[in-house]
Every structure is written in C-alpha cells, then in structure tokens.
Amino acid sequence: MRMENTGLESEVVELSRLVHVMEGLGFVLADQWDYERVTFDKKFESKGSTYYLRVQAYAIEGDVGGKHAIVKLLTPLLGKHYYPHGVEYGEGENFPANIVTTSKTLLSQLKEEIDKIK
C-alpha cells in the first residue's frame, strides 16, 4: 500500500540527519550494498502476521556509503510479509486498521522532524 499525501514525497535531506531521526522513531536502516539507495523499515506484528512500513530514498548528491549524501525521499510503503516469499505491497492486501493508523502517525511525526532539521 502506497502511503500517499504524507508530505514526505520528494523531501530532500542530509542522510546522516535522516538516519538520526529515523532511528529515533524506531526505524531500522536496511543493511545493503548500494551507493545510491537507502531503505528504512519499521516492523509491526499483529495477529500472527508481520507488516513493514518502508521509507526509501535515493542519493541526489554524494553516495549513501559515505553517510554524507543528500537524499530524496520516495512515497512510503506499507507491506505484509509472506514467508518465504517476501513483502507484498499490493493494493489487494488487507491491513489492520491499527497498523495503518500507527503508520500514518509515524509518517506525520517523520515529516515534522524533517521540517525541523531542514
């Protein structure tokens, strides 16, 4: 599920500051080998199912490996994990209302924090 109209789409921020904010909100920086893209995940568990709120960004200046990159955020995603296949983000997925509400609240808090550090 695309989390539209959060105000985060196309936000531009320094990666090191973004990492600090995201960790403060309970997101985990995905361990990956990519110099252009970065992914943060927040895991939720509900009624035996696992969900992930994912915030992605890509470098518009510098590289992610150096932690001093300037990144541009993409539209956040909410997905459901299916073992062993991975996470599905399709519109046909059903997400518990409490997970959607919590995700929207976190994204709103993220927007506020990014506005403070810009």
Side-chain angles (χ1 to χ4, degrees):
M1 166 190 283
R2 292 173 53 89
M3 304 295 287
E4 304 280 355
N5 303 315
T6 62
L8 294 169
E9 300 84 0
S10 301
E11 281 284 353
V12 174
V13 63
E14 183 183 3
L15 179 58
S16 61
R17 291 180 178 210
L18 180 62
V19 169
H20 179 73
V21 168
M22 296 300 277
E23 288 175 348
L25 292 172
F27 284 82
V28 175
L29 176 59
D31 190 22
Q32 60 195 29
W33 292 97
D34 193 319
Y35 293 106
E36 297 175 348
R37 295 177 292 167
V38 63
T39 301
F40 297 90
D41 288 321
K42 174 77 173 170
K43 181 179 179 180
F44 301 99
E45 293 184 7
S46 178
K47 299 178 183 176
S49 294
T50 303
Y51 303 89
Y52 288 94
L53 176 59
R54 177 164 282 182
V55 177
Q56 299 172 300
Y58 64 93
I60 58 172
E61 183 179 316
D63 67 65
V64 170
K67 299 289 186 199
H68 296 291
I70 304 298
V71 297
K72 187 174 187 177
L73 297 176
L74 301 173
T75 302
L77 302 169
L78 181 60
K80 182 175 180 181
H81 183 262
Y82 290 95
Y83 179 82
H85 304 291
V87 181
E88 293 291 330
Y89 302 100
E91 293 300 321
E93 296 294 328
N94 291 318
F95 298 98
N98 65 318
I99 301 287
V100 174
T101 300
T102 301
S103 296
K104 287 180 180 179
T105 299
L106 279 168
L107 295 173
S108 177
Q109 291 171 342
L110 174 58
K111 173 67 172 139
E112 289 175 14
E113 293 298 318
I114 287 175
D115 287 345
K116 289 179 189 176
I117 63 172
K118 284 175 52 176

